[in-house]
Each structure stands twice: as structure tokens, then as C-alpha cells.
Amino acid sequence: RADVIDGEAVAAAVRESVAEAVSRLDEVGVTPGLATVLMSDDPASETYVRMKQRDCAEVGIESRHVEIDTDAPASELFATIEELNDDPAIDGILVQRPLTEGVDEPAALRRVDPRKDVDGFHPENVGRLVTGDPRFVPCTPLGVQRLLTEAGVEIPGSDVVVVGRSELVGKPLANLLLNRGDDADATVTVCHSKTDDLAAHVSRADVVVVAAGVPGLVDGEMLSADATVIDVGINAVGEGDDRKLIGDVDYESASEVARAITPVPGGVGPMTRAMLLKNTVTAAANQAAVDIDLGLD
Ligand code: NAD
């Protein structure tokens, strides 16, 4: 039966190293600051933002929250982003998506100063990742990469199949693992909704990362015996007391076959949150131009 990759435990270790980095920065008079911007009535987004603020408090990062009325013109959101760009107390800016309907999301993300873009969504940071010179990499792909190394996967030379081609997960992850490096250098295949024979690709993969938002898309029958499976999907199923979160992988059958697998919840989710903290501390060190060892790996 597959080893369970404990995302909570790895995320706790990342948070600990971030807290240590924060105290090293404190010694040279730098306090990292993250701004979250919410322009949405979506309760899930409100919860995510609150969790991010709590995470910041836990490791000593200051956080500031700005809420924009959903009836306000987009110009108000843009002006807020510009103010945060100019504010020296703010090192990272996170514009919570999805924004309320009618607001041009790419335009908003382009306004974030790329040096404060801890989500890694600004085209400059996307371009840097693609050209092999990454600055800020989106948090979920970073978290997936770290889980693979912690699970002892030899990524260089491995066959990685990424299921999903979103700008948020699939594409940046594919680029990250395709780049050069000890924790990259993979042969990457990206599958998506128009892929002809998903099972054929998945069955020959050493590593399968599923980020599709489709429960049960990948099951044990599709996997090879020594595959490592990372389930990014988060799907709410059931009603009332039966309501629960499941991933995109059929956990029961997959864990009968695979070498190692992430659970949902408790796999990729906590890693995404931890990597935001790491990116924020890195942003603070870069902006303060301090030349100290943060101890982050
Ligand atoms: P998305 O909807 O933007 O993209 C889904 C991708 O899956 C698309 O590229 C699509 O082509 C592909 N896809 C859909 N159906 C498919 C099929 N039948 N076969 C093959 N490919 C198919 O979603 P996203 O933002 O990338 O998120 C994907 C999932 O990951 C969602 O469940 C989301 O909630 C979850 N997620 C989790 C985290 C986390 O921290 N754990 C972070 C981001 C997203």
C-alpha cells in the first residue's frame, strides 16, 4: 500500500523555517508585510484570506487586509494596488481571486508590482519562470515540488504527467519541473480536457500530479505500481453532515497501487499556504536588499 505523503507535517517544517527567517530579518530591522486585497462576496474567498492572515501572524509576518466594495468601480481596486505598491511596509501583495464579476482580472494582476507579486501571477514573473530564471513561482506548484522532494522522488529524468493546464497550477508546475536543477529536470507531459487518452499517459508516469477539479478522474487502474501521486484537486461533495472534501484521485484504489500518495485534505493544501509565507519573506529580504542567509531552502 502507498506511503502517505503528509503535507501538514512538511508545511509545518516550512513554516518553522520561515519563522526563523523572520527572526533573522528582525535582527536587521526588517519586518515582512503582506497585504491581502479582497473584492468579492464569495464566502470561500473570505475564509482563504482569513487563513492567510492567521498563517502570517503565526510566523511573525505583519498582514494588512483591504476590502473593496463589490459595487465599487475597478479603478478603486487599481488605485488600492498602486498604493500598496508604493508602501514600503508592504512586501507582498495578494489579490484574492476570483474578483467580483466584471472586473478585468488580468489587468488587476498586471498592476501589482512584480517585486511584490508573491502569488507569481504577474506576466513578468510568469515569463521569468518560463525562461528558467524564476523569481516568484505560484505557491501551489512550489508546494507540489517540495512534496515530491520530501517524498524522496528523484525528479531529474523522471516522467511527470501533469493533469490540468491552468495558469494557476498545471502550466507553472510543468514549467517548474521542466527547468534545470536537482529538484527539476523532469520529462513533463501536460494533459487536459482535450487529451485523447488520459489513461495511456498516466499509466507510464513516474509522477502523476492531478489538478483538474474532477473527482475520481485518476484511479488505481490507470497508475503504474511505483508511481508517486500528488492530488491537487479540492472538491466539495455531499450535503449537510455528509459534506466533505475529496481530491481528483480515487484515493482508495490509487493507494492500493501507487508508491506514495497525498491525501485530501492534508496534502497539497497546507503546502500552498506555507509557500505564500516563504515567498513573502523572500520578497521582504529582496526589497530591503539585505545580504543575510535566511536559512530557507
Ligand atoms: P481549472 O478549472 O482552472 O483547470 C482545470 C484543468 O483541468 C483544465 O486545464 C482542464 O483542461 C483540465 N481538465 C478538466 N477536466 C479534465 C479531464 N476530464 N481530463 C483531463 N483534464 C481535465 O482549475 P485549477 O485552478 O487548476 O484547479 C484544479 C483543482 O485544484 C481544483 O479542484 C481546485 O480547487 C484545486 N486547487 C487546489 C489548490 C490547493 O492548494 N490544494 C490550489 C489551487 C487549486
Side-chain angles (χ1 to χ4, degrees), residues 28-177:
V28 293
V30 176
T31 307
L34 175 74
T36 51
V37 182
L38 182 68
M39 187 178 189
S40 156
D41 291 330
D42 174 23
S45 293
E46 286 167 10
T47 306
Y48 287 146
V49 164
R50 263 200 310 276
M51 288 189 327
K52 288 166 188 173
Q53 288 163 337
R54 228 179 31 221
D55 291 344
C56 282
E58 195 189 308
V59 296
I61 294 174
E62 293 210 344
S63 66
R64 188 188 306 168
H65 181 57
V66 186
E67 246 174 84
I68 317 268
D69 210 88
T70 49
D71 299 332
S75 57
E76 197 173 316
L77 170 69
F78 297 164
T80 297
I81 295 173
E82 308 280 358
E83 269 169 40
L84 295 168
N85 284 343
D86 293 338
D87 188 335
I90 298 298
D91 301 295
I93 302 171
L94 184 144
V95 179
Q96 184 65 42
R97 304 191 313 161
L99 291 166
T100 196
E101 232 179 284
V103 176
D104 183 347
E105 216 163 73
L109 299 179
R110 273 198 306 273
R111 272 190 165 72
V112 174
D113 183 329
R115 289 162 305 179
K116 298 190 177 187
D117 171 40
V118 285
D119 257 340
F121 295 150
H122 189 285
E124 183 177 311
N125 288 322
V126 175
R128 287 186 63 149
L129 173 62
V130 173
T131 52
D133 176 31
R135 177 166 48 198
F136 292 117
V137 175
C139 302
T140 300
L142 267 188
V144 170
Q145 183 186 41
R146 181 64 180 269
L147 286 177
L148 290 174
T149 56
E150 294 286 336
V153 174
E154 177 67 13
I155 305 176
S158 65
D159 268 313
V160 176
V161 168
V162 177
V163 185
R165 59 172 160 187
S166 71
E167 313 302 329
L168 184 66
V169 188
K171 273 193 207 168
L173 177 65
N175 281 301
L176 186 64
L177 298 181

Side-chain angles (χ1 to χ4, degrees), residues 3 9 14 70 93 105 158 183 199 210 220 226 245 256 266 286-287:
D3 290 339
V14 172
T70 49
I93 302 171
E105 216 163 73
S158 65
D183 52 3
V210 193
D226 49 3
L245 296 180
E256 292 292 334
N286 290 350
Q287 273 156 84

Side-chain angles (χ1 to χ4, degrees), residues 140 163-170 191-195 198 210-214 217 231-235 248 268-270 272:
T140 300
V163 185
R165 59 172 160 187
S166 71
E167 313 302 329
L168 184 66
V169 188
C191 299
H192 48 80
S193 54
K194 300 287 192 292
T195 294
L198 181 66
V210 193
V214 181
L217 183 62
D231 191 351
V232 181
I234 302 178
N235 308 287
D248 290 347
V268 177
T272 298

